[in-house]
Amino acid sequence: MAIAKMKKVSLVAPVSCADGIIRVLQDVGVVEIEQTEIEPEEYSWCQLAEVREDLGKKQEELSRALTELKFCIDFFDRFERIKKNMIEQFAGGKVYLANSTFDDLGSRVEEAHTVYEECRRLDEELSTRSNEEARLLDNYNQLISWEWLDIPVSELAGNNRISIDLYEFPSRFYEDIVTEVKESCPRAYVVPGPSSGSRYIPVIVICLSEDRDEVRQVLSARSILPELLPEVQGTPKDAIATIEQRLSRIDQEVTELKEQAKGLLKERIKIYSVYDSVSLAFDRKALAAECPATRTAFLIEGWAPLDALPALEKAVQAEYDLVHVEARDPFENENPPVILDNPASVAPFEAVTEVYGMPRPGTLDPSFAAMPFFFIFFGMALGDAGYGVILSIVCLLLLRKIKMAGTAKKLFKMMAICGAACVLVGAVTGSWFGDLFGIAPIWFSPLDNPLLMLGVSFALGLVQIYVGIGMRLYYNIRQGNLKEAIFDQGLWYPFLTGFLLLLGGSALGNPAMSEVGKWLAIVGAGGLIVTQGRAHKNIIKRLGTGILSLYDLTGYVSDILSYSRLLALGLASSVIAMVVNDMAKRFLSIRFVGWIPMLMILVIGHVFNLAINVIGSYVHSSRLQYVEFYGKFFEGGGRRFRPFNKKTKYIEIVEEGEA
């Protein structure tokens, strides 16, 4: 239930040590850099004449190198794209390298540039072949209809006296078109080519030059225009043969070029490493450009967790003596980043809070209080011991097989823990893959006694609401707001409890319970009426506000009713499991082979049921935290701690032996 204490860190050092110190900060990765407002602006490092030109030149070189490396990566993806499953995409799916290996590969910038030049050459060669192939195919398509012509293409242009045009007449109207041409120009001669059942018939129209315009006008009226053949040597048949030979050679050349490109794939890890290494260097230069500085010293300011300060000071001062590191508490007008700090058993449930939003600095972290409720609510929503076992095993295997970090790692750890809750609830209610094994419940079956399950859901919901009110009460006391704690939260306990006892006593026919509930409700309501309008000096407004505050009771009752979703979700998973089992067992009546479809239905049905209900259990358990619980005390607005560290895109740097 803690938020890590943050310190504002200021680091002052000689300008000559800037590159090295920024590298150390990046390696340690515990400081979130904050841009410092310095006046006058000439104290900005990038404004110093002696460093401005060099800094800009370095950034330009690094940017150019990143562009080249990204070209190589995209080029590699054209020939072998690395496929990531959904889990790997969610977790990041990077290549894992030991720190020493990354440093070694990442330093080979010249080798990477050589790879880039080879990639660029191959890309240009392939582009040239592709463009040539497209041009040849276009020529081929234009010539193929005229392959029967035994006339060189260069002679089809005609001369001053004779006009020769090529057309394609629609086969349906061929006779009509020929008749029209003959009628308009009797001296025109139409030579048809082979139609071979095609929709169009290739023809040659030969006429005197003075008749050309008239013939074209007749054909243009039918939207028939002359065919223009490409400039090629020899007859169309000869040109087609030449094109086919060249296309065949292009295919061979492209195959060879692609083999050469695939041969470069062995350099992919190196390119990834160099890219991330250069990217880290670019980040360091970008930070340097933002640092305020004089001609002799520069300043870096940022935020760091209190418990990380010793490691920070040790790392910096181990390499540089003339460095001053100072840490202080944040001022009231400052907004430090937030880190949730919980025991290892609670840390996975921080994922619930992180998905919702970070709490404001100085307020309460709800993760610790939400953990037991999310745990049991998830178990009740899924409600099957067999499913819980599978969920825990799958999540643990994924955590072991796939390197994860941050919220993704916490989420899968939380799901593995919640699998144990499903086993617990499933054993209590007798659900092991539904009724597949016929194991009797330790306590009761929700299908046989849904009202008891509903009562348990309401009871747990009431407990969580009371805890939520208590969290706000505790926060007010911690802040010294004792009056608000008693009047705004404390008085709701007797009023809400009395109201529920009054309803319960009436329903159960217990007058003693009703009597106790009545007086508790009267005491709580009276206190709320008197105190909730205390901000108003006018007695009428004060009492009116107090009376209206009692309407909040409907919100609390509505919140309690929301927990009925636990019964609905638990019944849904159990009923679907029973239906799957019933369908599967019916196949046992088929002798000898009935067990085959039975197993198939059991596996497919239960996997489907598990998948959809795990999602539903997570969503609705989270919703109960966010709306019914967090709404009582949570104050958002915090920003996540984002330290200046080794932010890589392709390589995940791990300790030696973990890669």
Side-chain angles (χ1 to χ4, degrees), residues 584-624:
K585 290 177 180 178
R586 292 177 183 273
F587 284 92
L588 285 178
S589 59
I590 303 175
R591 299 181 62 184
F592 305 118
V593 296
W595 61 273
I596 297 176
M598 182 193 75
L599 289 178
M600 291 178 61
I601 292 176
L602 286 176
V603 172
I604 295 173
H606 284 298
V607 168
F608 172 77
N609 192 26
L610 173 61
I612 61 172
N613 281 292
V614 162
I615 296 173
S617 299
Y618 170 77
V619 169
H620 289 283
S621 298
S622 298
R623 190 257 181 211
L624 289 173

Side-chain angles (χ1 to χ4, degrees), residues 474 486 547:
Y474 163 75
I486 296 174
I547 293 172

Side-chain angles (χ1 to χ4, degrees), residues 382-397:
L382 191 56
D384 189 278
Y387 292 169
V389 171
I390 292 177
L391 178 62
S392 294
I393 292 174
V394 169
C395 289
L396 291 174
L397 287 175

Side-chain angles (χ1 to χ4, degrees), residues 70 79 127 141 155 164 236 241 254 310-311 388 411 418 433 446 453 484 501 514 540 570 607 610 637:
K70 188 63 170 64
F79 299 98
S127 296
N141 292 331
E155 297 180 9
I164 302 176
V254 168
L411 182 60
C418 288
F433 297 104
M453 185 67 172
E484 285 77 5
L501 288 176
S514 298
I540 297 177
V607 168
L610 173 61

Side-chain angles (χ1 to χ4, degrees), residues 55 91 161 168 236 239 256 399 411 413 453 477 489 500 551 573 601:
L55 190 61
R161 295 187 59 198
E168 286 188 330
E256 293 174 0
L399 286 166
L411 182 60
K413 281 187 175 181
M453 185 67 172
I477 293 175
Q489 285 84 48
L500 294 174
Y551 185 74
S573 61
I601 292 176

